[in-house]
Structure formats: structure tokens, C-alpha cells
Amino acid sequence: MENELLLHINHLKKDFDTTSVLKDISLDVYKGDIISLIGPSGSGKSTFLRCLNLLETPNGGDIYFKGIGVNKITRDKQIKELKRKIKDNKGNNELIKELKTKLKVIKKTNLNKIRKNLIMVFQNFNLFNNMNVLDNVIFAQKKVLHRNYLEAKKIALRCLEEVGLSERVNYKISEISGGQKQRVAIARALAMNPEIILFDEPTSALDPEMTIEVLDVMKKLAKEEKTMIVVTHEMNFARNVSNKVIFMDKGEIIESGKPCEIFNNPKTERLKEFLKVDSK
């Protein structure tokens, strides 16, 4: 049975003033995918993730989550197209009923609810330093998902146990290491029960030892078939954990494929150059 299509990105574009950062990016993400985005700094990888979560607003193209437009451009286009189809199919009552139902669903869908399914883990943690570890994982659950305290606490404790931080729940953020901070951020993401976790260079601010402990948690999540899109410079992770690797440069997807194809048989000179530099 084919995995469910969660995310469909079609001809996505993003400009900052006169600079084109993303140029015509298209990608399908299926349930259980672990997709690694690799490429030189400044290639648009992090901007791409931020567009998926709507931390940045795309200038063009479409983002669909389970068939519903995530960004305003896509949503408006969907509504307009459905209205046109309803008008063009007068007399076909069964089809019109189906189209009207879909239109109603799209209009009623809160975009913020969709965004809850695309949770970001940032390279610099983005934790609340005035809260302890446990409260950091509880806060978003109460604020965004409106869970009561006891329910949020129960879920937070379970997620902190999953990332190996059960003994640090009452520690202040200033009292834990960088690797532990990133694991708190991962626990916070897990507590939101997202369909997709977006990792934006989660180990770039860490030393090698802390990097290993965070990657171990991410490997565990991969074994649990969590859907992940990971911007990373960790080539071993991309090679050994991902089921798909995408190489980006200058705002474009240059190559994509299975890890064995990307690393063992790169087709473009640009990817060959990148992998040669990275291996030094």
C-alpha cells in the first residue's frame, strides 16, 4: 500500500527584495519520509523550510497539506477553481454536491491548524530561558493546542523521556548543555503531535559530542517512522538515515534521489564538486 501524500509543493518561489532565494521548487512528501536537504550555505534550504511553516510568505507557487492549500495564494486559487467547476457543471447534481462539500471544507479550514502539523526545530533552540525544561514543553501545548495543564504535563514527561531527559525536567535552560537544549526542542515538537517535523540544521550550533546525542534521537525518530524534512550538513545522517536526499544550490533543486544515487552516482558536476569539498 502506497504511503499517504502529506505535502505537495509545486513551483514554489521566494524573493527578498530583488534577490530570488527560491526558484521553482517542487517536492512531494509522503508519510514516513525522511528527507535530507543538503547544499552549500545560502542555497535556500532554510528559507524553503520556513516557507513550508509560513514563517516566510512565498511569492509564488503552491503548498498543499493533505490536498488543502497552506499558503494564501494556493488557498485563493483552490477556492476560485472550485467555484468555476461548480458553475461549469450545472445539472450534474452529484458532482456539484461533492465540489460544494470540498469548497466548504477548504473555507472552514483554519490555516493555523494546518501549521500545527508542520512543526519546526530550529538550530538555535528557541527555548524560553525563564522556564524550566518541563514548562518549555508544556507551554506550546497549552497556548496552541489548548490542552489543560495535567494533560500537557503528562505528554511533556513522555516526550522528554523519549529524548532521554527524564532526569532534567526541573532544570533551568541555563543549567543544561547545548545538546540537551536541542533535545528539549525536539521533545517540544513531538508534544505537538505534528504530521511532519522540520529540522533546520539542528546540530550546527553543537560540538561533535553533542551532535552525536541529537542525531541519535533523530535516528530513533526515523525508526519510529516519523516524517521529517532535515536541513543538514551531516552527510552520514543524510546517507544512512534518509530515504531521499535533495541537493540544492542557488535556490534550485539540482539533484534529488535515494541516498545511494546522490552519494555514489552524482549526475551533475555541481553535486560532484560539493561532495568532494564536503569530504575533505
Side-chain angles (χ1 to χ4, degrees), residues 34 88 110 120 130 138 151 158 170 172 192 241 280:
I34 297 102
D88 290 348
N110 186 320
M120 183 91 81
N130 61 329
I138 287 173
E151 182 187 10
R158 187 183 72 228
N170 294 316
K172 294 177 181 177
M192 301 298 285
V241 182
K280 288 181 179 178

Side-chain angles (χ1 to χ4, degrees), residues 13-277:
K13 297 176 183 177
K14 176 61 183 176
D15 301 329
F16 290 109
D17 296 323
T18 58
T19 304
S20 184
V21 180
L22 296 177
K23 309 167 186 174
D24 201 18
I25 302 288
S26 296
L27 175 67
D28 285 340
V29 181
Y30 291 87
K31 191 176 180 65
D33 272 348
I34 297 102
I35 298 174
S36 286
L37 301 179
I38 65 172
S41 297
S43 58
K45 305 182 300 295
S46 294
T47 300
F48 176 56
L49 281 199
R50 291 174 69 85
C51 283
L52 298 185
N53 188 254
L54 297 189
L55 291 171
E56 300 287 353
T57 303
N59 296 106
D62 300 306
I63 305 171
Y64 296 93
F65 177 77
K66 291 186 173 181
I68 294 178
V70 174
N71 53 322
K72 189 175 186 302
I73 295 170
T74 305
R75 187 187 181 91
D76 291 347
K77 190 189 297 183
Q78 268 191 306
I79 291 170
K80 186 177 180 181
E81 179 64 14
L82 283 168
K83 285 180 176 178
R84 184 192 64 77
K85 285 182 178 180
I86 291 168
K87 187 178 178 181
D88 290 348
N89 286 280
K90 282 182 179 176
N92 189 338
N93 293 336
E94 191 172 328
L95 179 58
I96 286 176
K97 185 179 178 182
E98 183 183 322
L99 292 170
K100 282 185 174 179
T101 299
K102 190 171 183 180
L103 180 62
K104 187 177 180 182
V105 168
I106 291 169
K107 282 184 171 181
K108 285 182 71 176
T109 300
N110 186 320
L111 293 185
N112 285 325
K113 285 187 177 180
I114 293 179
R115 289 180 67 199
K116 293 172 195 171
N117 285 294
L118 300 162
I119 295 294
M120 183 91 81
V121 175
F122 300 90
Q123 57 182 296
N124 292 319
F125 324 129
N126 284 20
L127 299 173
F128 295 105
N129 292 322
N130 61 329
M131 297 182 187
N132 65 20
V133 166
L134 181 62
D135 287 339
N136 262 277
V137 183
I138 287 173
F139 181 77
Q141 295 183 68
K142 290 177 64 184
K143 183 80 172 175
V144 180
L145 300 181
H146 307 296
R147 288 175 180 156
N148 65 54
Y149 177 79
L150 290 178
E151 182 187 10
K153 182 179 178 181
K154 182 180 177 181
I155 292 167
L157 289 170
R158 187 183 72 228
C159 293
L160 286 165
E161 182 179 6
E162 186 165 358
V163 300
L165 288 175
S166 292
E167 296 178 1
R168 294 288 187 274
V169 294
N170 294 316
Y171 279 57
K172 294 177 181 177
I173 296 302
S174 60
E175 295 173 331
I176 61 176
S177 69
Q180 290 169 339
K181 288 175 185 176
Q182 193 59 286
R183 284 189 279 154
V184 173
I186 293 172
R188 178 178 60 186
L190 290 173
M192 301 298 285
N193 195 30
E195 297 261 10
I196 303 173
I197 305 178
L198 309 172
F199 289 89
D200 186 13
E201 299 191 39
T203 60
S204 66
L206 306 177
D207 66 31
E209 192 172 316
M210 293 176 185
T211 293
I212 290 169
E213 66 183 57
V214 171
L215 290 176
D216 283 344
V217 170
M218 293 173 66
K219 288 172 186 175
K220 181 182 175 185
L221 297 180
K223 286 179 182 176
E224 294 171 1
E225 298 186 339
K226 302 286 187 188
T227 308
M228 301 188 285
I229 306 176
V230 185
V231 171
T232 185
H233 291 291
E234 299 292 335
M235 294 300 111
N236 284 332
F237 178 90
R239 183 194 290 268
N240 298 319
V241 182
S242 310
N243 69 312
K244 187 172 186 177
V245 178
I246 293 169
F247 172 61
M248 288 180 65
D249 189 28
K250 296 178 181 176
E252 298 179 284
I253 293 177
I254 307 299
E255 282 194 51
S256 66
K258 294 178 180 178
C260 59
E261 296 168 349
I262 294 295
F263 289 102
N264 299 337
N265 189 30
K267 295 179 176 62
T268 62
E269 287 303 316
R270 184 66 191 94
L271 178 54
K272 289 175 186 176
E273 288 170 15
F274 175 78
L275 293 176
K276 193 183 293 182
V277 169

